[in-house]
Amino acid sequence: MSKKYSVGLLGFGMIGKVHAFGYATLPYYMDPLPGDFRITHVATAHQGTAEAAKTLCRAEIATTDYRRITENPDIDIVHICTPNDFHCEPLLSAIHNKKHIYCEKPLCTTRTEAEAIRKAIEATGYAATNQMTFHLRFFPAIQRMKQLIDEGRLGRILQFRVGYFHASNASPDLPYKWKHAPPGGVVRDLASHLLDLVDFLIGPLDSLSAKTQIAYPSRPITAPTPDNPDPPRKEVTVEDAVYIFAKVRDGACGVLEATKLATGAEDELRLEIHGEKGAVRFQLLEPHFVEFFDATASDKPLGGNSGWLRIPAGGRYESPQTAFPSPKSSLGWIRAHCACLGNFLQAVAEGKPTQPDLRQGIKVQGLMEEVFRSANLQ
């Protein structure tokens, strides 16, 4: 019989629904499932939304008090899916109560909060399984890219470019949202993923300098209409874009760019890594493929075997993840989220640590703070 685990979700906005979708679909994406995982409790800011989430998840309890989850002895796993500034206190509570933790990025909002979380981990001897939701690591194409780098197929890394491009803030008529004030902004929302990916693929960042950009100093509180062409406005105090020049510990240099000003972009992650012996590149809108260039291949005669190899990583996950519905079928953003969750649950069932863990979240938090520090010095 599979061991039963009770799961509590904190937050049920878009990303909370993504986490719940993972539990609903994992029986198709993992074979065998490592346990019997049930969402039993959901907490949101308002009782009405909590009740709606309870119904959708077929949970037992809807609440507005996160402590009914983090301090509940019947709960095994806690998901942190709340807005950024509501991560720290529930995290500390879950750590003190020895819960397995699955936490959305960013870990928290400040260096002070990250240090409090680090101290709590050390002071309590916290050893339960914990993982950050840096789901971009869990595309098969990214994992194949990591294999090629670790196998030495690129040789010494020389340079890298990584960018995350959205268009959501490009219009001056976009109404003011919570992400236009602290703790919003693209550094926490998008660049956190890029900082984690660079660290994961090619090693620790040794130094960085950054510049941030706010395109419009204020935004309307509602969208302009013919009847109300000039609604009241609120000041924008966080960045729409960030540009980072960075160097990793082994000497490679690169550029990281995260922006919501890329007019015409959808959800576009572009990643290139160049080495002495080869190169790799990936685009999120074509997640089926990772491209590899073997610089050791001869270009004679007539081009020889030189050129970019397009590897169809597709949905070719390793067991116990499955290639459902087919390794040849295209896959998307939410599939990587499911794989990320599956990685966490497998570790929970085996009683093992996994990556990227809360300490990686603390590390990325420190890098984001360096970005803010550098940008403010410009």
Side-chain angles (χ1 to χ4, degrees):
M1 294 291 290
S2 296
K3 182 176 178 180
K4 293 185 178 181
Y5 298 88
S6 293
V7 178
L9 299 184
L10 305 185
F12 206 72
M14 183 276 288
I15 204 64
K17 291 177 181 176
V18 168
H19 286 220
F21 179 89
Y23 281 100
T25 57
L26 271 177
Y28 301 95
Y29 293 137
M30 292 190 76
D31 185 18
L33 280 176
D36 182 5
F37 300 92
R38 305 281 179 89
I39 299 173
T40 59
H41 292 60
V42 184
T44 68
H46 306 285
Q47 191 64 36
T49 57
E51 292 290 346
K54 170 189 167 183
T55 300
L56 187 59
C57 296
R58 299 182 181 179
E60 299 168 6
I61 302 295
T63 181
T64 59
D65 184 357
Y66 70 82
R67 295 173 186 83
R68 292 190 65 187
I69 293 175
T70 60
E71 298 178 5
N72 187 337
D74 295 329
I75 293 291
D76 302 295
I77 297 171
V78 174
H79 283 240
I80 308 293
C81 312
T82 51
N84 301 347
D85 49 345
F86 294 105
H87 282 199
C88 188
E89 287 189 11
L91 270 170
L92 292 174
S93 178
I95 289 167
H96 281 285
N97 286 279
K98 314 292 186 183
K99 304 299 185 186
H100 302 297
I101 298 172
Y102 192 63
C103 183
E104 266 300 327
K105 58 80 195 167
L107 177 74
C108 50
T109 60
T110 65
R111 190 189 300 271
T112 299
E113 289 183 344
E115 182 64 13
I117 292 166
R118 183 191 66 79
K119 288 181 177 178
I121 291 171
E122 294 177 354
T124 61
Y126 177 70
T129 302
N130 56 91
Q131 185 179 314
M132 296 294 302
T133 312
F134 286 125
H135 73 287
L136 295 175
R137 292 187 180 201
F138 292 89
F139 281 97
I142 294 290
Q143 294 173 347
R144 181 67 181 125
M145 181 182 285
K146 174 69 169 171
Q147 288 175 350
L148 291 166
I149 294 168
D150 290 348
E151 289 168 2
R153 302 290 297 278
L154 273 63
R156 182 170 70 93
I157 303 300
L158 302 174
Q159 63 175 17
F160 56 92
R161 300 177 189 85
V162 55
Y164 213 156
F165 305 95
H166 282 197
S168 49
N169 289 3
S171 170
D173 294 331
L174 177 74
Y176 186 93
K177 302 177 182 178
W178 72 265
K179 287 188 177 182
H180 292 129
V186 299
V187 172
R188 295 183 175 95
D189 193 18
L190 301 181
S192 55
H193 279 298
L194 306 186
L195 293 164
D196 176 69
L197 278 176
V198 171
D199 185 76
F200 171 60
L201 290 169
I202 60 177
L205 286 169
D206 185 58
S207 63
L208 58 83
S209 61
K211 178 72 175 178
T212 57
Q213 177 185 4
I214 297 175
Y216 309 105
S218 66
R219 288 194 175 273
I221 61 171
T222 61
T225 66
D227 293 334
N228 186 19
D230 190 22
R233 305 180 71 86
K234 288 190 70 172
E235 181 185 8
V236 174
T237 55
V238 297
E239 71 286 346
D240 297 303
V242 62
Y243 314 92
I244 306 167
F245 180 79
K247 181 169 77 72
V248 299
R249 189 170 296 166
D250 291 340
C253 294
V255 178
L256 299 85
E257 178 183 357
T259 177
K260 293 189 177 182
L261 302 176
T263 303
E266 294 285 328
D267 181 38
E268 301 183 21
L269 174 76
R270 303 174 202 161
L271 175 59
E272 298 180 1
I273 302 172
H274 300 265
E276 289 180 326
K277 294 167 58 179
V280 286
R281 63 191 183 191
F282 171 80
Q283 294 192 47
L284 184 57
L285 291 188
E286 295 188 76
H288 199 79
F289 301 99
V290 58
E291 294 185 300
F292 170 63
F293 182 86
D294 184 355
T296 68
S298 174
D299 62 356
K300 296 180 177 59
L302 303 173
N305 293 316
S306 181
W308 285 93
L309 173 65
R310 207 168 191 225
I311 302 171
R316 292 171 170 84
Y317 286 100
E318 295 183 354
S319 178
Q321 298 267 354
T322 72
F324 174 84
S326 163
K328 299 178 181 180
S329 297
S330 60
L331 75 166
W333 179 87
I334 204 164
R335 176 65 183 95
H337 262 285
C338 293
C340 185
L341 176 61
N343 179 76
F344 168 69
L345 297 181
Q346 187 72 37
V348 168
E350 294 176 356
K352 295 179 179 179
T354 191
Q355 286 292 333
D357 62 5
L358 294 182
R359 291 188 182 277
Q360 177 67 6
I362 293 170
K363 184 177 187 178
V364 171
Q365 195 72 35
L367 292 171
M368 290 191 295
E369 293 296 325
E370 284 301 305
V371 169
F372 289 129
R373 182 196 63 80
S374 175
N376 288 334
L377 290 176
Q378 301 300 317

